[in-house]
Every structure is written in structure tokens, then in C-alpha cells.
Amino acid sequence: MTHSPPGFPKKQGLYDPALEKDACGVGFVVNIKGRKSHEIVEQGLEALVNLTHRGATGADPDVGDGAGILLQLPDAFFREVCGSLGFDLPEAPGYGVGMVFLPSDEAQRAVCESIINDRIVQEGQKLLGWRTVPVQSASLGKISREWMPYIRQVFVAAGADAPDQAALDRKLYVIRRLIEKAVMEAGV
């Protein structure tokens, strides 16, 4: 019979305290009812800040280890910024947003954007528009600044062959894979 370590619940169902492991550098902040709130984002950012004491930095102390946060689509925010860029979004969840890390070289970036635009249309979805993501690079270390990508968001509306969120998610995955392959073949 295994005993629960101090501070852990007793063995029950699929849970076994003997299988507990220390997960250095991992943090989760969620609302189990799926409610959106800025408080959750603030708590997630606080968790990221607190990871630095666990070694979540690279050789350059100003370079992190790529940690980030995953959050729900900020529909109201995107509606506002896209409207100011001259295009409207369909009702959620009838669209997707791609975070795209592009080359800083303008010619290479244009090639990548053209590939992305083409693959979206090729797969029967509708390209709504692009947004350049504002960045604050002043606090970045020298290494990060040298390798910083040009960050844009691409907005895609569901085509007729993506009648629901699951179908759109599958289409966006296929589009992403086609883009990755085409960009590799283009050598950018």
C-alpha cells in the first residue's frame, strides 16, 4: 500500500500521489468555468515573472526561454483594431487569427506574405487582412534584438467548407502546414 506524501491528497480514481513529480518552471492559471477576465491574464503574467528564479533565462540574462501565455481569442479587441485597419470580422467563431513571425528583410517578408495569402485562398478560405503587431523592443537584450522577427497577424474568415469551429480549425491547420512547406521550398 502506498502512502500519500504530506500535503498531497489520498490515492483516488486515476490520481496516485506516488506519481507526483516536481515540474520546475511550469505554471497554470485558469478559470475552470471558461470565463474570460483580465485578472487571469494578470495572474498568468505574474507567474511568468516568477519563473525567472527557476532558471527560465538563456545565456543572455535579457533573453527568456520562450515562455508565454495562451488565452482565448480577444474578439472585442480584434473587432476594434481590425475596423480601424479597414476590414470587418465575421461573427465569432467564424474567423481565425494567425500569429506570424516573419523575416525582418522586406523582400523575404513579401515572399512569405504572398505564400500565406495564396494558401488561404487556395484552401477555400477568405483572407480578411493583416495587422502589424506593435512591439516594445527597448527592453530586449542585444541577442534578442538582432534576431527579432517582424510580427504580424493574419485574419482568415471561414469558407463555405468550414461550417463550424472544428472544421475551421482543421482548415487552418492544413493551411499552416502548406505555408510551412512552401516557405521552406522558397528558401526564406
Side-chain angles (χ1 to χ4, degrees):
M1 177 176 178
T2 61
H3 296 283
S4 296
F8 290 100
K10 294 183 186 309
K11 183 177 179 177
Q12 56 185 314
L14 296 176
Y15 175 75
D16 184 347
L19 300 175
E20 286 287 347
K21 304 282 189 270
D22 186 12
C24 178
V26 176
F28 294 93
V29 180
V30 300
N31 180 304
I32 61 172
K33 297 193 188 274
R35 292 189 191 115
K36 299 176 185 180
S37 78
H38 190 69
E39 181 182 21
I40 294 289
V41 173
E42 288 174 350
Q43 291 171 348
L45 292 172
E46 183 179 342
L48 279 175
V49 167
N50 290 332
L51 289 177
T52 57
H53 81 282
R54 307 280 281 192
T57 57
D60 179 343
D62 293 327
V63 177
D65 66 349
I69 62 173
L70 176 66
L71 52 116
Q72 294 164 314
L73 198 72
D75 184 61
F77 170 76
F78 282 148
R79 288 189 182 289
E80 184 178 325
V81 296
C82 291
S84 69
L85 293 171
F87 61 94
D88 294 319
L89 298 174
E91 288 301 311
Y95 69 96
V97 183
M99 284 295 290
V100 187
F101 300 94
L102 298 161
S104 53
D105 177 79
E106 281 186 52
Q108 289 184 344
R109 185 166 59 242
V111 169
C112 291
E113 289 177 358
S114 177
I115 289 170
I116 293 168
N117 295 345
D118 291 346
R119 294 315 178 275
I120 290 168
V121 174
Q122 171 188 321
E123 286 299 307
Q125 307 313 297
K126 182 180 177 189
L127 172 68
L128 296 171
W130 286 87
R131 172 181 181 249
T132 300
V133 177
V135 296
Q136 296 176 353
S137 60
S139 64
L140 295 178
K142 182 179 185 245
I143 295 170
S144 293
R145 221 180 342 269
E146 287 175 14
W147 291 97
M148 187 174 84
Y150 193 84
I151 305 170
R152 297 197 78 196
Q153 292 170 322
V154 60
F155 293 82
V156 182
D161 58 348
D164 57 34
Q165 184 66 48
L168 177 59
D169 288 345
R170 285 190 299 273
K171 270 296 187 182
L172 293 173
Y173 175 78
V174 168
I175 291 167
R176 188 192 84 189
R177 297 295 293 167
L178 291 170
I179 290 166
E180 289 171 353
K181 184 179 178 187
V183 167
M184 291 294 285
E185 289 171 358
V188 291

